[in-house]
Every structure is written in C-alpha cells, then in structure tokens.
C-alpha cells in the first residue's frame, strides 16, 4: 500500500440526533461543517511524527497529541488499512460547537476515518464504506450521529441484536426521505454538557406506557419528516430522555417548553444543551420569527438539511 502525496481535505457536517423521540436512532445532517486537512510523510519530516493545528471550535481546548479525536480515528483507519505513516500533519477548521449536542465528536470521527482512507491510494478497497461506518459507530458508542455525518440527510440507525459471543456488535443505518421544505433553527447556549454526562442521567428502565408512546411518535416523525411536516409538532414529543436531562440543562428545557407551548416543533438536539426548532426554509418569515427568540448570550443558526454527508474536497 502507498500513501498519496500532498494534502487531502475532507468536509463533514454537524448532526442532530434523537430529534425528540428517536433516542439513539434518528439523526439529521445539518449544513454546518468542519474541514479537516491531512498530509502524510514517509520520512521523519514531522517532529515527533505528529503535528496538529486547530482553528475555530476547540481551539485552545482540545489536545494536540495522539489523544485528539480526529487523530485517534485516523490511527484506527490506518490500522485497518495496515500501515501507520511515519509523519502526519493535521489541520482542523472547526465550525461545529463542541459538547453542545450537534455531533462534533461524530464529525471528528467520521472526518478522521474518511481523511485517513483518502490518504492511502486505493484505501476504499481495504476500508469499504460499511466497515468505515461500523468503525465510526464503535468509536462513538452509538450510531445515530455517525450515520448522517457519513451518509448525509435523514437517517435511521441502530444496533443489531447481540451476535454470538466473541462477535463485534453490528450497527445498521438507513437513509430515508426528508421533505425539501424542512429546515431548522438551532439555539446554542454558551456552555456545553458532555454527551457522557447527559447519558449518565438516563434511567436503566422506563415505564412501558412511555416506551409505547415514544414508539408511536418516532414512527410519526419518520412520516412527518418525509412529506408531512404539518405533523412535526406532535411527532417530536419525546418520552425517553429530555425530561431526565432537565437538571443538567434547565434553560434549554425551559426554551423547549416555551416554543412547544407556542406550537413550534422544538426539541433538545442530541444530548443537548442546544435546542433545535423545525422551520420551513432558512430565509422564511417563520425562521426570522424563531431566530428572534434566541436567549441573550446564546448563538443562533438557521440551517438547511445537508444532503451530502462527509465529502472529499
Ligand atoms: N473536531 C474535534 N477535534 C477534537 N476533539 C473533538 C472534536 N469534536 C469533538 N471532540 C471531542 O469530543 C468532545 C465533545 O463530544 P460530545 O460530548 O460527544 O459532544 P458533541 O458531539 O455533542 O459535540 C469535545 O469536548 C472533544 O473532547
Ligand atoms: N443519542 C445520543 C445522541 C448524542 O448526540 P450528541 O451530538 O450530543 O453527541 C444521546 O442522546 O445521548
């Protein structure tokens, strides 16, 4: 196997998981992207073998060594392909805010895997799309963000039933239709909550009645997003995670409550604390009205659905 010469750049979208009732299952790619540029060297041209630079989100906070999430993901891809480069340079231009529930970690993982694969001549013959998706889900721990980050659009993902002892867990992802009228407004609070912390707030079991109600809304949400957005408010009612997470993000849940009381299909994006409200076009009057409800100190973005997923530039 041989590495390609010169830098390669990939761009990978933000994602919003759960979308209300679709906990650990539904995900939507959003038109806000990180850009990763990598270059490999077969000699000791890079001091210490690794040079990482970051601008934008995570600048000054993420580590710049082997523990950097993009680097870890690139190493995993090189491992599968069969060879680590002697030297690696990585530059990240990040727009996706970290620990806000907009899939920054999945973007880092999917972007890193795809970048490493693109840095190897014929890399996709060894690390095919299916293996890459499984590897991404394995690193992230749940497949609902990595699926839309990789495939784009609206995805339904999950984990197959346990395989015989010794087998690795196996995830699935299906991309499904999303109505072109659908856009979103995200309200991003100034401080984050790590996904790990927000997952730690969930109970081991939930009442059967909640599970049944949630299943109905999830099914309705797939239909609403595909071609019946008039049902989005009813379809985004969650019974499995948002309320349990309220103590870690009370302002976010208060905003969700206010928006929903006014008929807006609002949810906690991913594990929070960003709030996502569905709208009908980034330039629409509805979007302008929603953006005006951004709390002081928060940032607000009107975003369309990204249909491309990760791309090599
Ligand atoms: N582009 C990135 N580069 C390096 N590390 C990242 C990147 N994106 C995310 N991370 C790591 O993942 C953490 C956030 O992941 P997580 O808690 O899952 O939140 P979310 O994915 O919702 O933004 C960050 O604090 C950082 O440690
Ligand atoms: N299903 C996960 C989604 C986490 O998304 P993130 O963008 O917050 O990492 C969960 O709800 O924990």
């Amino acid at each position: 196997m041989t590495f390609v010469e010169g830098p390669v750049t990939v761009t990978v979208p933000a994602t919003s998981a759960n979308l209300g009732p679709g906990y650990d299952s539904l995900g939507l790619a959003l038109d806000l992207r990180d850009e990763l540029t990598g270059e490999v060297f077969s000699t000791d041209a890079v001091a210490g073998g690794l040079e990482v630079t970051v601008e934008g989100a995570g600048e000054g906070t993420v580590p710049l060594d082997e523990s950097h999430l993009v680097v870890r993901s690139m190493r995993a891809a090189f491992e599968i392909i069969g060879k680590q480069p002697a030297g690696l340079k990585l530059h990240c231009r990040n727009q996706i805010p970290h620990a806000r529930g907009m899939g920054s970690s999945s973007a880092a993982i999917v972007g890193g895997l795809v970048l490493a694969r693109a840095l190897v001549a014929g890399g996709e013959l060894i690390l095919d799309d299916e293996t890459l998706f499984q590897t991404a889900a394995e690193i992230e721990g749940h497949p609902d963000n990595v699926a839309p980050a990789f495939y784009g659009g609206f995805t339904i993902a999950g984990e197959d039933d346990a395989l015989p002892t010794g087998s690795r867990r196996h995830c699935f992802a299906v991309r499904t239709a999303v109505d072109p009228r659908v856009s979103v407004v995200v309200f991003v609070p100034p401080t984050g909550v790590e996904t790990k912390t927000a997952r730690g707030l969930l109970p081991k079991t939930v009442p059967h009645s909640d599970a049944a109600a949630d299943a109905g809304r999830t099914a309705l949400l797939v239909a609403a997003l595909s071609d019946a957005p008039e049902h989005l408010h009813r379809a985004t009612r969650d019974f499995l995670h948002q309320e349990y997470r309220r103590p870690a993000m009370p302002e976010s849940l208060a905003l969700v409550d206010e928006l929903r009381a006014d008929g807006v299909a609002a949810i906690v994006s991913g594990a929070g604390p960003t709030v996502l409200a569905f709208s009908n076009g980034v330039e629409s009057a509805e979007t302008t009205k929603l953006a005006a409800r951004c709390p002081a100190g928060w940032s607000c973005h009107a975003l369309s659905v990204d249909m491309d997923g990760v791309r090599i530039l």
Side-chain angles (χ1 to χ4, degrees), residues 34 62 68-70 94 97-106 108 140 193-196 272:
D34 283 354
V62 293
H68 187 279
L69 190 52
V70 176
N94 296 336
H98 288 188
R100 298 298 194 283
M102 293 184 66
S104 74
S105 52
S106 285
E140 180 64 293
V193 175
E194 293 284 332
T195 301
K196 201 171 160 216

Side-chain angles (χ1 to χ4, degrees), residues 153-172:
F154 173 41
T155 53
I156 305 169
E159 199 171 327
D160 282 323
D161 293 341
L163 295 167
T165 319
S167 308
R168 295 175 58 169
R169 71 193 204 122
H170 186 270
C171 291
F172 63 85

